[in-house]
Amino acid sequence: MLRPYVRRGKKSELLSKMKIFQKDFLVLVRSGLWGYDTEFDCTKGDLTSILQLAKEQSMLGIVGNVLVQQPGTPEGLKKKIKSFLYNNVLTHSLLNKTLHKCVNALDEAEIPYILLKGQGNATYYPNPTLRQCGDIDLYVGQENYRKAIEVLNAGGCKNMDISESPKHFDMTMDGVMIEIHRTSMVYTPQKRDEIYSKLQNVGMKENHNTVRIEGMDIRTPEKTFNSYYIFAHLFHHYLTGGIGLRQLCDWGMILHSLHGVIDKERLRTIIEEMGHLKPWKVFGCIIVKYLGLPQEEFPFYDRKYESKGKLVLEHILKEGNFGHNRSIFKNRPKQYFLAKTKSLIGHFLKTINSIRVFPGLATQYFATTLFNGFYVVWKDITK
C-alpha cells in the first residue's frame, strides 16, 4: 500500500533556497507518486512555470494528473492537460503493442531477451500510463546480437540511418524507436567493464524477473540487479549529459515496490564492486528527502549526503531531461568543428559541476568522453 509523504526533520531547511515554483512542483510530484491529497493552492501557484518544469523533467503525466483534480486549476488548462494525458495513454498502447510484436518475433526465433527500463519501469507505478514513455530497449547479448537484428528486420523493424553505438543498434517499428542491446552498459576502464559484464550475466542471462504488460509476460532484469541497473543508468547519464526527474522516480518506484524482496547483501556487493556506493547514497537522499520514498525503503540510506543530494537536485532541475536546457543543445553551430568545440566546452562545464560531488568518477567520465570525441572526429575527417 502506498504511503503518504511525511515531512521530516530538516525538510524546510533543505528546500529554503529553492524557487517557490520548484517547491510547488516537488509537492505535486510527491502527491502524484504516492496518491495523497495536496495542500497546493492552484489559484496562487505559478502554473506556467510548474508545467514548463514538468515538461523539462518528463513529468507532465504525473504532475498534470494531480492538477486536473484540483478545484483551482483553470478549465482551459485542464482541457490541455487532459488532452496530453489521453495522448500519453495512446503512446503507451502503441509501445506495448510494438513490444509484443518484437518479443513474439524473438521468442519464435528462440532468442532470449530482457526488456530494459521503459515500459518495464512503468509497471511499478500505481498508474503506468501516467509515466511518460519513449522507446523500447531490448537486451539480447553479444552472441545473439546480429541474429536479433536480422529477425526483427524481417519482422517489420527498419534500420535507422545513424551510427551504431558500442551498446546498441537502432531500429524503428510503427514509428517507435527500438534499441537492440549487445550490452546494457559500457564502462571504462576495461577492468570495471569486465566486473559489470559478470554482474550483467547473473542479473540478465542466468536470472530474470517477469512483469505483466497488457496481457503478456515480459522478461526484465532480475529484481536485485535491476534495482542497481536503473540507478547505474541514470548516474551514467547524469555525468555525461543530464537526467530528468522521471528517471529518479522510476528508481524510487522500483525500490518501493521491491522493498523486502531485494537481497540487500548482494546489492551492496554489486554497488561496492562497481565503486558506486557514494553516488548511490547521494541520489538516495534525493528520492527520500524530495520525492517521498520512505527512508526505511531505501537500502543503505546515509543522511550525511543530504547536502550533496540537494546540490545534485539543483543541477537536475536546471539542466532538464538529458541536459536539454544546457547551452550545448541550443544554437548549435552548423560548421562541423565549431559544433564539436561547443560540445567539448559543454561537457567540460558539466564535468566541473559534477566534480563538486563526484570528483573521481566525473573526471574519469570526462576523460573517456574526450577520448571518444577525438576518435569520432578522426574517423569523420579520414573517411
Side-chain angles (χ1 to χ4, degrees), residues 252-277:
M253 290 292 98
I254 287 174
L255 292 176
H256 170 75
S257 299
L258 300 182
H259 176 61
V261 177
I262 296 170
D263 183 340
K264 289 186 179 180
E265 184 176 344
R266 178 167 160 258
L267 177 60
R268 189 178 188 100
T269 298
I270 292 173
I271 297 169
E272 290 180 342
E273 285 186 357
M274 291 301 298
H276 283 161
L277 188 57

Side-chain angles (χ1 to χ4, degrees), residues 97-109 111 146-159 171-176 178 180:
K97 288 178 181 177
T98 305
L99 173 63
H100 288 185
K101 290 180 183 179
C102 292
V103 166
N104 284 332
L106 293 174
D107 280 342
E108 187 174 340
I111 298 176
R146 293 298 171 189
K147 182 180 177 182
I149 293 171
E150 293 173 4
V151 166
L152 292 176
N153 199 291
C157 282
K158 300 177 181 178
N159 300 347
M171 311 181 82
T172 61
M173 177 186 280
D174 301 330
V176 175
I178 302 162
I180 311 302

Side-chain angles (χ1 to χ4, degrees), residues 3 37-38 63 90 121 135 146 193-194 204 254 261 273 362:
R3 305 181 188 182
D37 293 335
T38 175
V63 170
L90 295 181
N121 288 355
D135 56 10
R146 293 298 171 189
D193 195 56
E194 290 172 353
M204 294 197 196
I254 287 174
V261 177
E273 285 186 357

Side-chain angles (χ1 to χ4, degrees), residues 11 25 40 52 64 67 71 121 134 147 215-216 319 332 345:
K11 172 61 69 173
F25 166 73
F40 174 70
Q52 179 60 34
L67 286 176
N121 288 355
K147 182 180 177 182
M216 178 179 281
E319 294 172 351
R332 190 175 176 86
I345 293 172

